[in-house]
Amino acid sequence: MKSPTTLVTGIAGFIGSHVADELIAKGHNVIGLDDLSGGFVNNVPKEATFVQGSITDHKLVDNLFDTYKFDYVIHTAAYAAEGLSHFIRRYNYENNLIGSVNLINASVRLGTVKCFTFTSSMAVYGANQVPMVEDMTPAPEDPYGNAKYCVELDLQEAHEMFGLNYVIIRPHNVYGERQNTSDRYRNVIGIFMNKILMNEPMTVFGDGLQTRAFSDISDVAPIIAATIERKECYGEIINVGADQPYTILEMAEAVSVAMGVEPNIIHLEERYEVKHAYSSHDKLNRLMGDLRKNVSLEEGLKKMARWVKEVGAREPSKFAAIEIHRKIYDFWKIEDLNADDKKAA
């Protein structure tokens, strides 16, 4: 039997590289697309065919589909800096919405794609909807959530009009090995661990009583990879991640323990964000409960801490192409964000 050929976008990134590993283990011929804006080449499995490029390049995307005749598409590529998305609106929509539409267009035109799995986000739910359940009416509160929800709607319409099978996964607060710990705008566990390695205090926005359920990558990637071959998942929206919510302060304490240091925390100004966000996983348990490992926060942090210490500290990245400077938070000062440009001038 011919091995299925599967496109994984964002393959050099955190979630995408782990999903690719799972697919390769299942015998898939994996083609990976990534622009390396937030990923690393050494994350790409050696068995995969890697193409460097952006999903925003529709000619490149069309050429890949024509060349490889994909059986499946798993779309993990995104710029997922939710809090920053208010200030990079054009960049957010070009990468997270238009880039996704390019992939949907190509899938529909090709006609061989059996299923398109999209990694959306719990950001589509908005505030005051906990635990978040898949049949709730989305009410995103930032441009990132808007873009993700728009792609969800577009996939549903592509199915109604053209018969494109899809699965929508809403993961949340995923952490683990290969995460980009140099990204200062997202992935709080990676940020905290990197700060500890740099002998800097962990920075908490506001009072730190925001609640999230932190999800180990080994409880997320296998489920995403399995969706394309489980027809009972087709047409479904599925929350994926951990059940137990923690406050940011509790998580910071747990990170300190995993890293073997005393907690060193400073509080910064409160930012505009959903205060409490955690999901129900009743549907996940019903459809794919056999794949859940239920990794505890303590166990997951220990694994990640070992990896982070091996990798070492990374210089935090600076997003230079800020589009709106009004109301930008003090901790993302304009002069700091543009420091790299000034050095180059």
Side-chain angles (χ1 to χ4, degrees), residues 30-104:
V30 173
I31 313 300
L33 177 64
D34 201 298
D35 64 3
L36 301 182
S37 60
F40 305 90
V41 172
N42 60 6
N43 284 347
V44 180
K46 63 180 184 301
E47 301 90 345
T49 299
F50 175 56
V51 178
Q52 184 174 346
S54 173
I55 59 173
T56 63
D57 183 347
H58 67 89
K59 291 182 179 178
L60 170 62
V61 168
D62 289 344
N63 182 61
L64 285 177
F65 277 74
D66 290 339
T67 299
Y68 292 103
K69 311 296 184 190
F70 298 117
D71 297 295
Y72 302 104
V73 174
I74 298 186
H75 177 28
T76 74
Y79 189 68
E82 187 175 353
L84 190 63
S85 68
H86 297 284
F87 309 102
I88 54 169
R89 308 175 82 85
R90 180 175 58 251
Y91 184 89
N92 167 71
Y93 289 118
E94 286 175 348
N95 281 270
N96 297 332
L97 175 55
I98 299 303
S100 301
V101 169
N102 290 338
L103 295 165
I104 296 171

Side-chain angles (χ1 to χ4, degrees), residues 227-300:
T227 55
I228 55 176
E229 295 174 339
R230 293 202 177 192
K231 292 187 178 180
E232 64 270 26
C233 294
Y234 288 10
E236 297 286 353
I237 298 171
I238 308 170
N239 295 330
V240 174
D243 295 317
Q244 177 63 48
Y246 294 87
T247 68
I248 299 300
L249 287 178
E250 289 172 332
M251 187 273 294
E253 295 273 351
V255 166
S256 300
V257 171
M259 294 291 287
V261 299
E262 289 296 317
N264 182 10
I265 299 169
I266 61 171
H267 291 260
L268 303 177
E269 65 178 302
E270 186 176 4
R271 69 177 183 179
Y272 183 76
E273 63 179 337
V274 174
K275 184 79 172 180
H276 303 292
Y278 50 92
S279 299
S280 163
H281 299 109
D282 290 346
K283 183 186 283 190
L284 173 63
N285 290 334
R286 176 168 52 85
L287 293 173
M288 309 183 80
D290 57 304
L291 294 178
R292 298 193 73 186
K293 298 178 181 177
N294 295 309
V295 177
S296 69
L297 183 63
E298 179 183 13
E299 179 187 351

Side-chain angles (χ1 to χ4, degrees), residues 6-269:
T6 302
L7 172 66
V8 176
T9 67
I11 194 171
F14 171 44
I15 294 178
S17 65
H18 284 277
V19 169
D21 281 341
E22 296 289 331
L23 292 169
I24 290 165
K26 293 172 180 285
H28 286 239
N29 175 31
V30 173
I31 313 300
L33 177 64
D34 201 298
D35 64 3
L36 301 182
S37 60
F40 305 90
V41 172
N42 60 6
N43 284 347
V44 180
K46 63 180 184 301
E47 301 90 345
T49 299
F50 175 56
V51 178
Q52 184 174 346
S54 173
I55 59 173
T56 63
D57 183 347
H58 67 89
K59 291 182 179 178
L60 170 62
V61 168
D62 289 344
N63 182 61
L64 285 177
F65 277 74
D66 290 339
T67 299
Y68 292 103
K69 311 296 184 190
F70 298 117
D71 297 295
Y72 302 104
V73 174
I74 298 186
H75 177 28
T76 74
Y79 189 68
E82 187 175 353
L84 190 63
S85 68
H86 297 284
F87 309 102
I88 54 169
R89 308 175 82 85
R90 180 175 58 251
Y91 184 89
N92 167 71
Y93 289 118
E94 286 175 348
N95 281 270
N96 297 332
L97 175 55
I98 299 303
S100 301
V101 169
N102 290 338
L103 295 165
I104 296 171
N105 278 351
S107 298
V108 168
R109 280 197 297 264
L110 182 63
T112 65
V113 175
K114 298 179 180 69
C115 183
F116 186 118
T117 290
F118 171 54
T119 52
S120 185
S121 169
M122 69 188 305
V124 304
Y125 288 111
N128 303 317
Q129 300 207 72
V130 290
M132 297 166 169
V133 181
E134 292 89 345
D135 60 3
M136 288 176 170
T137 301
E141 297 202 340
D142 52 64
Y144 175 70
N146 291 341
K148 288 291 191 177
Y149 183 42
C150 233
V151 177
E152 290 187 8
L153 293 175
D154 198 66
L155 272 173
Q156 293 170 31
E157 290 162 0
H159 173 72
E160 292 298 322
M161 185 71 181
F162 303 107
L164 178 65
N165 290 318
Y166 68 87
V167 181
I168 293 167
I169 295 293
R170 291 175 178 167
H172 50 90
N173 302 101
V174 188
Y175 68 93
E177 302 92 325
R178 300 184 201 160
Q179 196 160 63
N180 184 359
T181 56
S182 68
D183 194 326
R184 66 165 62 180
Y185 309 109
R186 52 181 174 168
N187 306 323
V188 63
I189 289 177
I191 292 173
F192 281 2
M193 287 187 174
N194 197 50
K195 283 187 172 294
I196 289 172
L197 290 179
M198 299 180 73
N199 296 313
E200 295 179 0
M202 294 178 286
T203 50
V204 171
F205 302 127
D207 59 16
L209 298 181
Q210 308 94 313
T211 53
R212 302 290 187 268
F214 300 97
S215 311
D216 183 84
I217 185 63
S218 62
D219 261 326
V220 176
I223 290 170
I224 294 174
T227 55
I228 55 176
E229 295 174 339
R230 293 202 177 192
K231 292 187 178 180
E232 64 270 26
C233 294
Y234 288 10
E236 297 286 353
I237 298 171
I238 308 170
N239 295 330
V240 174
D243 295 317
Q244 177 63 48
Y246 294 87
T247 68
I248 299 300
L249 287 178
E250 289 172 332
M251 187 273 294
E253 295 273 351
V255 166
S256 300
V257 171
M259 294 291 287
V261 299
E262 289 296 317
N264 182 10
I265 299 169
I266 61 171
H267 291 260
L268 303 177
E269 65 178 302

